[in-house]
Amino acid sequence: MDYTTDPQVLNTLKKLYQKCEEGGQNLPSQLEGFLYSDYLKYWDYIHLDTLLSIQNPKTDMPDEQIFIIYHQITELYFKMIILELEQVIEEGLVKADFVLNKIQRINTYFEQLLNSFEIMLKGIEEDQFLKFRLSLSPASGFQSIQFRLIEILATEFNNLVDETNRDINDGVEEIYKKLYWRKGANDSSIGKETLTLVHFEKKYKNLIISKAFEYKSKNLAYLCKRNLKSIYTDELVAELKRFDSFANIMWPLSHYKTAAKHLLKNAEAISSTGGTNWRKYLPPKYRKVIFFPELWTQEEKENWGKSWLY
Ligand code: HEM
């Protein structure tokens, strides 16, 4: 084949030339650079060596690595959920198919998380867990910033406050003080802020407040209220409800049941590494966080978290 006359090659060269012109680059030098540069390898592309080197257990118990890896896997899924949320928000909920596709993707990710949570039961020997957890305090999944960001992108900031404590006139700063997770880490049985919360806020308070401002008028629930009628389909509403139920009932219930299995001994609650009153804090029926309240009936809201949905 004579590449010097191949129209496809010539066309690509023309586009490359334009690209170089725009970027102030020299095409012949760029092409020569291509000649000397190495081919991409799979392990470099996904940074495999780095990925496999970032499990640093605090003890020599093998199941601690499983505990770390599964947390990392979950954080990667959280990142995928955030990427989908950012795109759907950026698009402004105008194209119904696009929105549906993104929410379905989020639900697929949550489904994977739900189906795999058992790893935290079967993948960790009780004896090992009860020992290695002692070296983790005050670190806790409570300090997952991505979990908090999913909430901020998905719903109105005020929906993250206990319903009885909500005031529609509150600004971001007032709402922040009343957030359910701040309350959970300030529980009366604790008497003061947990160290877990103090550390978390030192690192992330400013970011959380700035994100709350940024998404105040463009979080998913807000956009839904504004646009849903124009792109309304039963299928989309069902997917949004499924998302709500995954994020605020099913994942929290799975997580709570796992925590209870490990932390309830002879009906006595062992204190958690994050120091919350976790039997009151974790169950979804107490906190009643609902991303899209207007999509649920009064009865469904009253019974929120009392049973599995979807
Ligand atoms: C043996 C497994 C686990 C146990 C016993 C456990 C226990 C707990 C407890 C007791 C809390 C409440 C905060 C505290 O007092 O520490 C908590 C919060 C949390 N954990 Fe876990 N957890 C486990 C696995 C996981 C995994 C795999 C993840 C994945 C990232 C995770 C993410 C979270 C998140 C995001 C919170 C905050 C939840 C909220 O504020 O609603 N946990 N966990």
Side-chain angles (χ1 to χ4, degrees):
M1 171 122 198
D2 182 5
Y3 287 118
T4 55
T5 55
D6 179 357
Q8 200 185 340
V9 173
L10 292 176
N11 192 27
T12 308
L13 271 174
K14 198 171 150 196
K15 286 186 191 155
L16 277 172
Y17 177 76
Q18 276 162 0
K19 181 179 171 183
C20 286
E21 276 270 294
E22 279 161 25
Q25 301 297 306
N26 177 275
L27 180 59
S29 310
Q30 291 285 328
L31 287 175
E32 204 171 337
F34 179 55
L35 189 65
Y36 300 128
S37 67
D38 208 355
Y39 283 112
L40 185 63
K41 319 281 189 322
Y42 168 80
W43 52 89
D44 287 333
Y45 183 56
I46 64 150
H47 293 274
L48 188 60
D49 290 347
T50 307
L51 188 64
L52 300 180
S53 71
I54 51 169
Q55 293 75 40
N56 299 304
K58 302 274 281 175
T59 69
D60 58 7
M61 282 164 234
D63 290 354
E64 191 187 347
Q65 292 225 34
I66 307 292
F67 185 73
I68 294 172
I69 292 169
Y70 188 67
H71 276 80
Q72 290 174 336
I73 290 171
T74 306
E75 289 291 349
L76 290 176
Y77 272 101
F78 286 169
K79 182 167 181 177
M80 284 156 70
I81 292 166
I82 290 172
L83 285 171
E84 305 297 351
L85 281 171
E86 282 171 347
Q87 287 178 67
V88 83
I89 286 169
E90 203 50 48
E91 190 269 343
L93 256 64
V94 179
K95 295 187 207 125
D97 283 356
F98 185 83
V99 180
L100 181 66
N101 174 271
K102 296 290 163 202
I103 308 300
Q104 280 171 337
R105 283 191 190 184
I106 291 173
N107 289 337
T108 306
Y109 305 150
F110 262 119
E111 205 157 25
Q112 300 302 318
L113 286 178
L114 211 65
N115 290 338
S116 57
F117 216 104
E118 216 173 327
I119 293 171
M120 287 294 89
L121 290 173
K122 291 195 176 144
I124 303 179
E125 262 182 35
E126 199 64 52
D127 281 0
Q128 293 189 32
F129 177 74
L130 291 176
K131 285 180 190 140
F132 73 69
R133 66 180 290 280
L134 297 172
S135 62
L136 309 183
S137 229
S140 165
F142 180 94
Q143 295 171 319
S144 165
I145 183 64
Q146 293 201 107
F147 189 79
R148 309 292 169 214
L149 291 180
I150 290 172
E151 295 177 329
I152 292 171
L153 267 69
T155 195
E156 313 257 14
F157 208 36
N158 231 348
N159 287 341
L160 305 174
V161 172
D162 188 344
E163 213 174 355
T164 55
N165 213 2
R166 234 175 261 166
D167 182 341
I168 52 162
N169 298 315
D170 278 346
V172 164
E173 308 264 359
E174 287 82 41
I175 298 173
Y176 178 83
K177 289 184 206 144
K178 298 197 269 180
L179 290 172
Y180 78 89
W181 48 265
R182 292 199 79 251
K183 189 164 167 272
N186 274 290
D187 196 282
S188 53
S189 65
I190 301 163
K192 58 177 174 126
E193 289 185 347
T194 61
L195 190 56
T196 308
L197 177 66
V198 173
H199 289 169
F200 181 65
E201 292 197 307
K202 189 167 173 212
K203 183 162 171 65
Y204 292 120
K205 182 178 173 186
N206 290 344
L207 174 70
I208 291 172
I209 289 185
S210 78
K211 289 284 175 189
F213 273 114
E214 185 184 344
Y215 286 94
K216 193 167 179 269
S217 307
K218 59 172 191 174
N219 60 76
L220 185 58
Y222 177 92
L223 294 176
C224 276
K225 263 201 272 184
R226 219 184 49 188
N227 291 8
L228 203 59
K229 291 241 159 32
S230 56
I231 59 162
Y232 179 95
T233 62
D234 288 351
E235 201 181 1
L236 178 56
V237 171
E239 290 295 340
L240 285 167
K241 288 174 79 173
R242 215 161 152 246
F243 171 28
D244 216 348
S245 149
F246 270 132
N248 295 312
I249 299 179
M250 294 192 288
W251 190 86
L253 272 181
S254 261
H255 176 251
Y256 173 64
K257 286 189 171 181
T258 308
K261 194 102 196 298
H262 285 297
L263 298 175
L264 261 186
K265 293 286 154 258
N266 306 323
E268 288 283 309
I270 301 180
S271 36
S272 61
T273 56
T276 63
N277 181 1
W278 60 271
R279 290 177 79 182
K280 280 263 174 274
Y281 173 66
L282 289 179
K285 67 177 175 185
Y286 294 132
R287 66 174 55 173
K288 278 200 179 173
V289 172
I290 307 178
F291 288 164
F292 314 109
E294 62 287 347
L295 299 184
W296 301 93
T297 64
Q298 196 50 36
E299 194 187 349
E300 284 170 326
K301 284 188 267 193
E302 273 158 23
N303 291 318
W304 194 256
K306 290 187 185 156
S307 64
W308 302 75
L309 281 175
Y310 288 98

